[in-house]
Amino acid sequence: MLNAVILYSVGSPQNLTTACLKDFLNRFLSDKLVVKMPRFLWQPILHSLILPTRPERLKERYGAIFDHEINPYLALCERLATALQANLNKPSTNSGSADQYVVKMSYAYCAPYLEPTLYELAAQGCQRITVIALFPQYSDTTSKRPRLILERFAQERPDLECHMVSSYASNPIYLDALSDLTRSFLYGTGAQMSEAEPQPTNQSPASTSASAPPVASAVAAPERTHLLLTFHSLPKSYIRLGDPYLSEVAATVQGLKTRLNLSEASFSLAYNGRFGPMAWLKPDLEDEVTRLLEQGVQHLMVVAPGFAVDCLETLYDINLKLKERFIHQGGERFTYIPCLNDSQLHVNVLTELCLKAPKLPAH
């Protein structure tokens, strides 16, 4: 049987032209699940105040992370899909069955989009289609739309078997992989990347969990070293409307805390990516960094468990600008722990998610 796996993510501008940046931003900020303000109020603001100016400001930020005119986020996603396809087709993975897998990327706000990708794969003879939303912590703003698209497709094609992974915030395999990656930096085996420029082609270091002592002592000694977990923020009003994102974040944080044996004083949580005048989840990332500096933290280690692949917010906002801010304000050392990216750790996680993905209920 021919199986299709679609890795779904936000997407990113494919080049640095103003037209491309404007189109991506327009698609993103026109999504009703992302911006829940009434359309008659929001669209004039978007088209008169944001789209005429913000693409030019984004050009500088994206330009700082593009590698020879290639968006590292998109390149990482494609390499991840290629690696996952190879792993799924190994005899050791599929137990020697005749099943074959094809893996594709699709994005919310740039091509290739999910809906046409579904129909293309069906036309190629795929009988089982699995969509994995590359957002470990579920939010209506990110993971609801691909599910709606897949459900609509499944109704039109009842002859196909459709599966969906909408969340894996508390999945043990994901938490184990994330802990192994983080632990490797806490104990220095990832140090070859920690002081370098952003690493869009990261291959995660091997796990050191077998012989490592409790991480609480490693992070807390010296006490001026601190592990900061950061997730993308969300307006508080979305949580009040029922978005489960906050509980999803809590599940991941608790899983990491347990696996890394973190003491309460050795780590903290903050949110990044605030946009606009609304009240967002607290504490804000920059405010938390200021607080930690005031408490005497000199070595800040930052990990972003909400991102599956390094993107603008991690490569630029965290590993460039936040690092610059921390050092400028008196910090001595800043270590950014990269995302799972196209590492074997990540491939193993996605392989397990794919093989155990729940089937969409029949309608």
Side-chain angles (χ1 to χ4, degrees), residues 3-42:
N3 299 266
V5 180
I6 303 175
L7 302 180
Y8 174 92
S9 193
V10 170
S12 190
Q14 295 173 326
N15 59 62
L16 292 174
T17 63
T18 300
C20 181
L21 291 166
K22 185 175 182 179
D23 179 68
F24 178 82
L25 193 62
N26 183 37
R27 290 177 183 275
F28 174 54
L29 295 179
S30 293
D31 188 336
K32 296 178 181 179
L33 293 175
V34 173
V35 180
K36 299 185 179 182
M37 186 184 298
R39 311 303 287 172
F40 74 93
L41 292 176
W42 173 241

Side-chain angles (χ1 to χ4, degrees), residues 117-349:
T117 301
L118 288 167
Y119 285 99
E120 289 169 10
L121 290 169
Q124 293 173 17
C126 294
Q127 299 167 278
R128 183 181 190 268
I129 299 179
T130 301
V131 175
I132 301 177
L134 291 179
F135 312 109
Q137 297 78 31
Y138 177 92
S139 169
D140 286 345
T141 61
T142 52
S143 301
K144 185 175 182 177
R145 185 162 303 285
R147 187 173 189 89
L148 293 174
I149 292 172
L150 184 61
E151 286 176 345
R152 185 168 60 245
F153 171 79
Q155 288 178 0
E156 296 179 8
R157 294 296 306 267
D159 56 312
L160 301 181
E161 189 177 324
C162 295
H163 296 248
M164 176 83 195
V165 177
S166 299
S167 166
Y168 47 101
S170 58
N171 184 286
I173 293 181
Y174 159 68
L175 292 172
D176 288 345
L178 196 57
S179 298
D180 284 350
L181 173 62
T182 304
R183 186 181 290 108
S184 71
F185 278 80
L186 293 173
Y187 288 107
T189 59
Q192 70 274 14
M193 295 175 57
S194 63
E195 297 300 314
E197 292 302 309
Q199 299 290 326
T201 59
N202 166 54
Q203 293 292 330
S204 300
S207 168
T208 60
S209 58
S211 58
V215 176
S217 59
V219 177
E223 293 181 356
R224 296 188 305 167
T225 298
H226 190 86
L227 178 65
L228 180 56
L229 311 180
T230 183
F231 294 80
H232 194 285
S233 194
L234 204 66
K236 290 182 178 179
S237 60
Y238 292 12
I239 303 298
R240 290 194 295 269
L241 290 171
D243 195 301
Y245 181 66
L246 204 55
S247 62
E248 295 269 305
V249 168
T252 297
V253 171
Q254 183 58 47
L256 286 174
K257 179 184 176 182
T258 300
R259 283 164 173 77
L260 294 174
N261 194 20
L262 295 171
S263 67
E264 292 293 340
S266 67
F267 83 102
S268 59
L269 166 68
Y271 295 93
N272 60 281
R274 182 180 59 189
F275 176 78
M278 297 179 290
W280 290 66
L281 296 175
K282 296 285 188 178
D284 180 74
L285 179 59
E286 293 188 354
D287 293 341
E288 178 64 9
V289 169
T290 298
R291 184 188 74 83
L292 293 172
L293 281 165
E294 291 173 349
Q295 289 190 345
V297 170
Q298 289 298 300
H299 179 195
L300 184 63
M301 307 184 78
V302 181
V303 62
F307 295 91
V309 174
D310 276 312
C311 58
L312 182 69
E313 288 187 54
T314 62
L315 295 176
Y316 181 84
D317 294 346
I318 296 176
N319 199 33
L320 287 180
K321 300 307 291 184
L322 190 68
K323 176 180 179 179
E324 181 181 276
R325 175 190 178 98
F326 180 75
I327 299 300
H328 179 74
Q329 292 184 354
E332 293 180 359
R333 186 179 175 197
F334 184 99
T335 300
Y336 170 62
I337 300 172
C339 297
L340 289 169
N341 291 332
D342 58 339
S343 66
Q344 189 60 46
L345 282 172
H346 203 185
V347 170
N348 293 343
V349 171

